[in-house]
Every structure is written in structure tokens, then in C-alpha cells.
Amino acid sequence: TYENVINALEQGDFYASQGPLIEELYVEDGYIHIRTSPARSIAMNTEHRPFGGISVAPKGETLTEAVFKVPENQKYIRFDVIDEGGLHANTRAFYIDDMI
């Protein structure tokens, strides 16, 4: 509903997608866990280069989850999921201080 969409936007509970799904994202014991629909890659982008990390499926395969260490000396992170067709899903930025 319109109300649910607006509430999710106001609470920061949203992501943009051309098709891939981000099914779960959580922090546990200093690691960020993300679970998605079948993807070619899952990348953690940070405020500064180099990127926070990337998990890439072997050629001809897909992956549905990745785990990244919570980065130090970064203000925020966001995730980019790319499926087999090259379609993207991107999370909003998450501030590190809010995650730990």
C-alpha cells in the first residue's frame, strides 16, 4: 500500500532493484551477512576505495549469500548484487556506527 511504502522509506527499510532480491541482511559478531536471489556477484562498497569486498560465483554458477567483515575506518557501506543477466539490486547506505 502507499502507506507501507512511505513508512518503509521513512524508516530506511528499502533497496532499489532491477530484479535481484535481497532477502536478508544482518550483522553478527563483527560480520555482515547478506542473502539474495541467485547472483553472479555480491559486492560491499565502502566510502573509500578499495571496495569492501566482493564475492563472485564460479563461471556458470550462482551464489545466494556472502559474508563480509565489518570494515574499519569507514563511515558507511552499501551492497550491490548483480544477477546472471547483469541486473542490479542496491541497498541504501548503512552507517557503520549504526551497525555495530
Side-chain angles (χ1 to χ4, degrees):
T1 66
Y2 175 83
E3 183 178 339
N4 287 339
V5 170
I6 296 302
N7 286 338
L9 289 170
E10 288 174 346
Q11 294 175 25
D13 294 334
F14 66 92
Y15 65 97
S17 180
Q18 297 174 316
L21 300 176
I22 298 173
E23 297 173 354
E24 192 171 31
L25 178 66
Y26 64 94
V27 177
E28 183 175 78
D29 298 328
Y31 289 88
I32 303 162
H33 302 258
I34 183 169
R35 194 169 54 84
T36 69
S37 57
R40 179 169 70 195
S41 66
I42 302 171
M44 180 173 69
N45 299 306
T46 60
E47 163 187 24
H48 299 107
R49 304 239 189 251
F51 292 112
I54 187 167
S55 289
V56 179
K59 188 172 182 169
E61 297 181 29
T62 60
L63 54 96
T64 57
E65 59 187 327
V67 179
F68 301 94
K69 186 167 179 26
V70 173
E72 297 177 10
N73 303 319
Q74 299 293 325
K75 288 184 181 179
Y76 68 87
I77 58 169
R78 65 177 189 79
F79 292 89
D80 184 22
V81 178
I82 304 175
D83 72 9
E84 291 179 291
L87 299 177
H88 291 249
N90 295 283
T91 67
R92 65 175 177 86
F94 294 95
Y95 289 95
I96 300 296
D97 290 344
D98 294 340
M99 298 185 87
I100 52 176

